[in-house]
Amino acid sequence: MNVSYDVGVVGAGIIGLAHAHHLARRGLKVIVFERHRRAQGASVRNFGMIWPIGQPLGDAHRLSRRSRDLWLEVMREAGLWSQECGSLHVAYHEDEAQVLSEFAAESAGQDRPCELWTPAQVAARFPAVVQNNLRAALWSPTEVAVDPRQVIVGLPAWLARVHGVEFTFGTPVLGFNLPRVFTPDGEWNVRRLVICTGADFRELAPAAFASSGLIPCKLQMMRSQAYGDRFRLGVHLCAGLTLRHYASFAHCPTLPSLIRRFDAETPDYRRYGIHVLVSQNEPGELTIGDSHVYGDEVDPFDDPRIDSLILDYLKTFLNVPGLAIAARWHGVYVKHPTEPYVVARIAPNVLAVTGVGGAGMTLSFGLAEKVVHE
């Protein structure tokens, strides 16, 4: 192609879109290459949760809070739906309530606002939460809901219209030797390249990632019918199993004994890496999940037993009227065993950004801002 671009971004998932946004805001001429007609990976298969509460205190949490603020700014400017719904962790056992208490104490004065609530406070604000044997809850106001399916279509249109970002969908990148980028439609002139291909990170730079330590993870999820205004949950909701999933709870002194109880009472939930989250979008659909099965061999076939385990646990903490599952799917992301994300310089003027694990939505705009700045 005769046109030259300052930066090419490979991948129109949320990490790629966030980079395109920050690059274009700096006045750079940006083109985004996406192999599909629209992104189909983890960016469209998730809860739509912006979830700072899951990030441990320190750099990761600060990055998630910055990303949250950027999300709200971008969604307002783009005219897309978002909701500052907050999150609620509910506890039905004393050890779960103790972990929540320890978490709240650690959070005090750390720019991680949260409160311990009584069952009466939960019932008054979120009556769909199961009240029987409810001991306590942790309320956090920082979490945000977006609709991934809306975002993955709406943000490219807005970036193109307002910021002049060019998108070439249905165009896989076959290779590069900057300033040349090779596609089935010909060569493109690009001065710099940012590769944001998620779980497909090896395809354009196999040597660079040969010993990266990144591990694929398969997740099974579901979505309910649309409730409209007939049932509004009003919050991102989870229960005890979530306390062992997120690194933000790792320092709570009671957590090891809680995990031992979980392992003894619910071994299948550990086997499949199940904890249960619920979010709700503007049409009122509930997104429910998820499981975490790690390993290079990702089974293309879903396990109905995993879905049943998820739904069984959901019933212990949420009353959903006439729940019917309208869609089931699985997603795949890659996760680094020790780092919250991976930014690799794989060639002169070429970066790859990947390995955000289950925090891709949460970290996206903050991480992209950091990468572009540095």
Side-chain angles (χ1 to χ4, degrees):
M1 302 292 179
N2 292 327
V3 179
S4 293
Y5 299 87
D6 295 310
V7 188
V9 177
V10 186
I14 192 57
I15 300 295
L17 295 177
H19 279 82
H21 168 259
H22 287 296
L23 291 162
R25 289 287 292 264
R26 287 176 170 248
L28 298 173
K29 187 173 180 61
V30 180
I31 183 169
V32 179
F33 303 95
E34 168 55 49
R35 68 171 61 186
H36 300 293
R37 295 299 174 185
R38 65 182 61 169
Q40 297 182 4
S43 295
V44 77
R45 305 186 191 197
N46 63 80
F47 291 94
M49 290 177 166
I50 316 305
W51 190 257
I53 198 168
Q55 297 300 310
L57 289 171
D59 291 343
H61 185 257
R62 285 190 290 271
L63 193 64
S64 71
R65 290 293 300 272
R66 174 59 180 161
S67 189
R68 172 203 187 268
D69 294 343
L70 289 166
W71 263 106
L72 292 172
E73 175 186 310
V74 166
M75 297 300 275
R76 282 193 297 267
E77 291 180 8
L80 300 175
W81 177 82
S82 65
Q83 182 183 15
E84 297 179 63
C85 60
S87 67
L88 193 70
H89 292 65
V90 289
Y92 292 88
H93 295 82
E94 284 302 324
D95 51 3
E96 297 169 1
Q98 180 61 30
V99 170
L100 296 182
S101 177
E102 292 163 358
F103 182 90
E106 182 190 38
S107 302
Q110 297 288 337
D111 194 30
R112 188 166 68 183
C114 58
E115 300 174 2
L116 281 176
W117 280 10
T118 66
Q121 288 175 294
V122 174
R125 181 82 178 269
F126 304 115
V129 172
V130 171
Q131 292 296 304
N132 189 35
N133 294 322
L134 180 63
R135 306 296 177 90
L138 182 80
W139 159 252
S140 166
T142 58
E143 286 62 55
V144 174
V146 300
D147 188 333
R149 290 172 293 164
Q150 182 194 58
V151 164
I152 220 67
V153 175
L155 280 187
W158 173 71
L159 287 168
R161 183 178 68 252
V162 175
H163 294 291
V165 177
E166 186 172 332
F167 287 83
T168 173
F169 288 99
T171 306
V173 172
L174 306 176
F176 57 88
N177 184 13
L178 296 190
R180 295 181 296 166
V181 172
F182 309 112
T183 77
D185 300 325
E187 297 181 9
W188 302 75
N189 295 317
V190 174
R191 291 178 52 230
R192 302 175 189 172
L193 199 63
V194 183
I195 300 173
C196 305
T197 51
D200 298 324
F201 63 98
R202 289 189 181 96
E203 292 187 5
L204 288 176
F209 287 104
S211 59
S212 66
L214 290 167
I215 304 169
C217 177
K218 176 186 175 182
L219 313 92
Q220 287 184 207
M221 300 180 66
M222 294 165 275
R223 186 170 57 245
S224 78
Q225 77 272 41
Y227 282 94
D229 292 329
R230 294 180 293 116
F231 175 77
R232 301 304 306 188
L233 180 57
V235 69
H236 290 326
L237 184 65
C238 59
L241 287 175
T242 295
L243 302 180
R244 74 170 170 190
H245 182 76
Y246 287 106
S248 55
F249 293 94
H251 293 112
C252 296
T254 303
L255 186 64
S257 61
L258 172 62
I259 291 174
R260 288 194 293 271
R261 178 174 69 79
F262 284 154
D263 291 347
E265 296 177 357
T266 57
D268 282 344
Y269 286 84
R270 178 180 180 86
R271 177 185 176 190
Y272 299 115
I274 295 171
H275 75 119
V276 182
L277 301 168
V278 190
S279 65
Q280 191 171 34
N281 61 15
E282 187 178 24
E285 298 166 320
L286 298 172
T287 300
I288 305 161
D290 54 0
S291 57
H292 301 78
V293 178
Y294 296 90
D296 284 329
E297 296 297 325
V298 176
D299 189 343
F301 305 105
D302 291 349
D303 186 342
R305 174 166 168 74
I306 289 177
D307 288 353
S308 295
L309 289 168
I310 290 170
L311 292 174
D312 287 346
Y313 191 72
L314 175 71
K315 294 173 186 175
T316 68
F317 66 91
L318 180 63
N319 293 310
V320 183
L323 177 64
I325 301 301
R328 302 171 189 261
W329 68 91
H330 74 259
V332 179
Y333 62 59
V334 289
K335 181 180 179 66
H336 194 275
T338 59
E339 301 299 326
Y341 53 83
V342 173
V343 179
R345 188 174 300 278
I346 62 176
N349 294 322
V350 181
L351 287 179
V353 184
T354 187
V356 288
M361 296 292 278
T362 298
L363 297 180
S364 53
F365 279 97
L367 174 58
E369 181 183 57
K370 176 180 172 69
V371 170
V372 168
H373 176 73
E374 293 179 351

